Amino acid sequence: MLREGRPLSFYILAFVFTLYVLFLYGPMLAIYVLSFQGPEGGLTFPMNGVSLTWFAKLFGGGGIVDIGAAFWRSLKLGLVVMMITVVFSVAAGMAFRKRFAGSAFLFYTAIASLIVPSIITSLGIALEFRVLDDAVKLHAADWGFAKLAEEWTTGMGLFTSGLGAHLTWTLPFGLLIMFAIFNRFDGRLEEAARDLGATPWQTFRHVVLPIILPSVVGIGLFGFTLSWDELARSSQAIGSVNTLPLELQGLTTTVTKPDIYALGTVTSAVSFLVIFAALYAIRLLQKRQERQGSDAGSGLV
Amino acid sequence: MALRDKPSQFVAWLQAGPMMLVFLVFFLVPLAFVIIVSFWDYNEYEMIPSFTTRGYVETFEGCLAQLPDLCTILKTYLKTLKLCFLVWLITLVIGFTVAYFLAFHIRSKTWQIALSLICTIPFWTSNVIRMIAWIPLLGRNGLVNSGLVKAGVIDKPLEWLLYSEFAVVLALVHLFTFFMVVPIFNSMIRIDKRLIEAAYDAGATGFQTLTNVIIPLAKPGIVIGSIFVITIVMGDFVTIGVMGGQQIAAAGKIIETRLNALQFPAAAANAVILLGITFMIIAMLSRLVDVRKEL
């Protein structure tokens, strides 16, 4: 295979690869197309006219669920998850470059969080908050918060249990990406900064961060999109309000019209927007790096 | 040295602390609660904190009496394992082939990145959307059925295409092959190309090179990918619910059903059983490779 020309196996594998890509994208394209069905169209081909009816219906309200509200909830949650994932992952990634007590424990916890079936994590968080709720209702008065004990319904919510559930899914990815980054990071750059008298913070701010920034954008991309599309971990842990994927799952059993495809198209569009914005940012940052890196040798002698 | 170590330890803890705290509050403590609550009692509307094995006993109710026939719960686990095995096998074959093509046949770095991105992008789209995407293709009046009918292959639409085990396996493969491709690809690009050249020079056939050189060296990736796919499929309840038309029983579905009935201790007991089985599989797999070394 390292010889001149392409062996037969290349063409066979290229064909298999093409089939795989078709398999990946084909079904998704089908629903994107079908979401533009005419008003009389149903859930299957052939198309019955072309229109924006189903999108209008989605955002016009009056549907089965309030899609608009769920959309903004998911977006807000996704952004918060993204920011926390970036900050905590970068910080922890820095920590792992030193040897510290408990590093193996944190590493295996992160891996375990990634591979313990989502429904178990979700169930655990739900149970934790239930026990917490009961404790507050029972004991808040004793602790001198009588008003709290009366008004307390649940501690579960989008930005408590829901946020936590999403973070158990995004942080392991963030940490693994940080490992990949620092595996090929040249430590001598930091040494040079230190030798020039930079404080640890200055070293991080002006040397390390600009170099790792493209990959940090990648962590943000993972954080947002994993949260935006997350379902299994939120299913029990989010309380009474639903995110967009949960609404979507609820719709699969009840809706028989292409609204659901329109909703699918809209959520995919947001995912794609974020992916391409992130890729563009990464490309831009890498370009800037190349430009700035190149003047290292070409400066004044 | 000792003087320098102390503050750097402190800084490291400060840096790793926030992540540790999140895992503690939202993963480790909840996991402990699952185990504790699985031994609690319950009635129709609340859980009662007193020790009992009722959750476990009721799960396996009548299993001994029914032997040698399998009771519902054992049948369900057997079916889950069967689905898991099928999905694992298919994703492994596809994942290995795709990773092999990307790692060994694509020579330019740019093309390698572009093609891997093409494989990655769908991973960032909602699983539910990727599931319902099969409906217009596999449904009773879907593209596949109407195509086959028009071509005269069958006279009436196939019923088993959608809301069946077939649909579940298809959707799971569609959703999770990515988790197989990435780790295998990562191990493969680290293989020194000269080893393959050497095998070739020593007279190995393509197949011998594959089985004696490439597969052993790509083993870590294969194991990591397998762990991902197996744990996801073992715990899945969304895909099995949507694609199985809510008709197929599986380990994750049992937990979900119990939860919907608000039988938390029973759900927790089933979660502990599922966790035990999943960890047994992972323990067997991770004996083959040191996961930490491979990162």
Side-chain angles (χ1 to χ4, degrees):
Chain A
M1 72 197 55
L2 302 171
R3 317 272 147 194
E4 298 293 309
R6 302 246 191 235
L8 179 66
S9 63
F10 170 82
Y11 294 100
I12 297 171
L13 285 170
F15 178 70
V16 173
F17 182 78
T18 315
L19 282 184
Y20 174 65
V21 171
L22 278 177
F23 169 69
L24 269 186
Y25 285 86
M28 284 155 70
L29 288 177
I31 68 153
Y32 301 152
V33 173
L34 281 172
S35 60
F36 292 97
Q37 277 271 26
E40 302 301 314
L43 283 172
T44 49
F45 287 103
M47 297 279 282
N48 206 335
V50 176
S51 76
L52 292 173
T53 319
W54 305 105
F55 290 95
K57 223 173 171 176
L58 208 57
F59 285 99
I64 304 164
V65 287
D66 189 352
I67 297 303
F71 181 90
W72 290 114
R73 273 202 294 272
S74 275
L75 199 64
K76 270 191 275 184
L77 182 62
L79 289 174
V80 174
V81 169
M82 178 182 87
M83 285 187 290
I84 296 178
T85 306
V86 167
V87 175
F88 286 13
S89 304
V90 172
M94 291 294 290
F96 269 96
R97 302 175 66 203
K98 307 178 200 102
R99 204 171 289 235
F100 67 99
S103 64
F105 178 72
L106 179 57
F107 172 77
Y108 284 112
T109 308
I111 297 295
S113 176
L114 204 57
I115 58 183
V116 162
S118 294
I119 189 162
I120 297 177
T121 311
S122 184
L123 165 65
I125 294 173
L127 289 173
E128 185 185 41
F129 275 79
R130 253 169 194 268
V131 171
L132 178 80
D133 290 344
D134 290 347
V136 169
K137 278 181 216 158
L138 270 176
H139 300 296
D142 311 342
W143 303 329
F145 301 103
K147 206 165 140 49
L148 187 71
E150 263 170 51
E151 288 173 5
W152 189 271
T153 49
T154 177
M156 273 195 172
L158 208 55
F159 290 100
T160 54
S161 52
L163 178 65
H166 280 205
L167 288 176
T168 61
W169 180 227
T170 58
L171 287 179
F173 279 101
L175 190 63
L176 291 180
I177 297 173
M178 285 307 294
F179 283 166
I181 297 171
F182 282 129
N183 267 345
R184 44 197 164 92
F185 187 86
D186 190 345
R188 285 173 303 182
L189 295 167
E190 282 168 289
E191 257 169 64
R194 266 202 299 276
D195 290 346
L196 291 170
T199 63
W201 172 250
Q202 283 174 324
T203 311
F204 176 75
R205 171 71 189 77
H206 296 291
V207 178
V208 180
L209 191 62
I211 295 173
I212 65 171
L213 207 53
S215 314
V216 171
V217 173
I219 295 177
L221 169 64
F222 263 89
F224 180 83
T225 46
L226 288 178
S227 160
W228 174 253
D229 295 328
E230 210 293 320
L231 180 61
R233 274 166 207 247
S234 323
S235 64
Q236 307 300 330
I238 210 143
S240 54
V241 289
N242 277 349
T243 57
L244 209 50
L246 280 161
E247 297 288 12
L248 196 60
Q249 192 213 359
L251 290 178
T252 56
T253 49
T254 50
V255 170
T256 50
K257 290 281 171 199
D259 337 27
I260 190 170
Y261 295 159
L263 183 53
T265 306
V266 170
T267 56
S268 296
V270 173
S271 292
F272 285 132
L273 211 67
V274 174
I275 294 168
F276 287 114
L279 291 179
Y280 183 70
I282 291 170
R283 188 90 199 96
L284 222 61
L285 289 168
Q286 281 173 341
K287 276 230 175 92
R288 203 186 66 171
Q289 229 169 60
E290 278 161 23
R291 256 205 324 276
Q292 293 187 337
S294 66
D295 67 27
S298 60
L300 295 170
V301 180
Chain B
M1 199 60 201
L3 264 175
R4 271 199 61 159
D5 256 16
K6 273 231 158 117
S8 93
Q9 274 267 332
F10 177 71
V11 170
W13 279 338
L14 221 56
Q15 287 167 330
M19 185 179 278
M20 189 85 102
L21 196 69
V22 171
F23 284 130
L24 189 73
V25 175
F26 293 104
F27 179 64
L28 293 175
V29 173
L31 216 55
F33 268 113
V34 170
I35 295 168
I36 295 166
V37 169
S38 74
F39 290 104
W40 281 9
D41 205 355
Y42 57 99
N43 57 31
E44 288 96 69
Y45 46 90
E46 61 176 356
M47 22 187 210
I48 305 158
S50 63
F51 180 84
T52 168
T53 51
R54 182 179 159 195
Y56 295 92
V57 172
E58 279 182 8
T59 301
F60 291 104
E61 194 139 54
C63 278
L64 279 177
Q66 247 176 319
L67 284 173
D69 287 333
L70 289 174
C71 53
T72 323
I73 186 80
L74 291 179
K75 270 191 202 144
T76 307
Y77 269 100
L78 223 56
K79 171 161 281 177
T80 312
L81 286 172
K82 183 184 130 194
L83 283 177
C84 201
F85 176 76
L86 275 175
V87 173
W88 171 75
L89 196 66
I90 300 171
T91 52
L92 179 62
V93 171
I94 299 177
F96 189 88
T97 319
V98 167
Y100 184 92
F101 175 71
L102 290 177
F104 294 118
H105 279 301
I106 303 298
R107 292 165 190 175
S108 106
K109 197 94 205 156
T110 320
W111 271 103
Q112 230 170 31
I113 293 170
L115 292 179
S116 357
L117 259 180
I118 287 179
C119 296
T120 313
I121 285 174
F123 164 72
W124 278 314
T125 305
S126 171
N127 285 355
V128 183
I129 294 160
R130 294 172 69 195
M131 280 172 223
I132 59 170
W134 285 105
I135 295 171
L137 300 181
L138 301 180
R140 209 168 176 283
N141 303 309
L143 273 187
V144 174
N145 266 329
S146 53
L148 286 175
V149 170
K150 267 192 201 128
V153 181
I154 48 174
D155 353 306
K156 57 176 194 240
L158 298 171
E159 298 286 349
W160 52 264
L161 283 180
L162 195 61
Y163 304 134
S164 59
E165 267 179 54
F166 168 79
V168 171
V169 173
L170 188 73
L172 287 169
V173 169
H174 187 227
L175 290 173
F176 301 123
T177 306
F178 168 81
F179 282 106
M180 209 50 119
V181 174
V182 173
I184 298 180
F185 176 73
N186 266 335
S187 324
M188 276 181 178
I189 47 169
R190 283 196 233 156
I191 297 175
D192 192 337
K193 299 277 190 296
R194 285 171 302 185
L195 291 173
I196 296 162
E197 193 83 339
Y200 189 88
D201 289 343
T205 62
F207 184 73
Q208 281 170 328
T209 314
L210 186 71
T211 52
N212 293 321
V213 181
I214 294 172
I215 291 180
L217 288 172
K219 199 174 74 179
I222 295 173
V223 170
I224 291 172
S226 303
I227 290 177
F228 266 125
V229 169
I230 288 169
T231 51
I232 291 173
V233 176
M234 282 301 285
D236 179 88
F237 62 102
V238 180
T239 318
I240 290 176
V242 172
M243 297 308 286
Q246 311 294 341
Q247 297 299 315
I248 295 173
K253 283 291 286 179
I254 300 178
I255 301 175
E256 199 209 7
T257 313
R258 298 268 195 229
L259 280 174
N260 291 340
L262 294 180
Q263 299 172 332
F264 286 99
N270 279 289
V272 171
I273 297 168
L274 174 62
L275 198 62
I277 294 175
T278 313
F279 268 12
M280 253 152 52
I281 299 175
I282 294 173
M284 281 189 316
L285 281 171
S286 54
R287 289 183 75 141
L288 299 172
V289 53
D290 179 358
V291 178
R292 179 147 198 196
K293 253 199 204 145
E294 303 306 329
L295 291 166

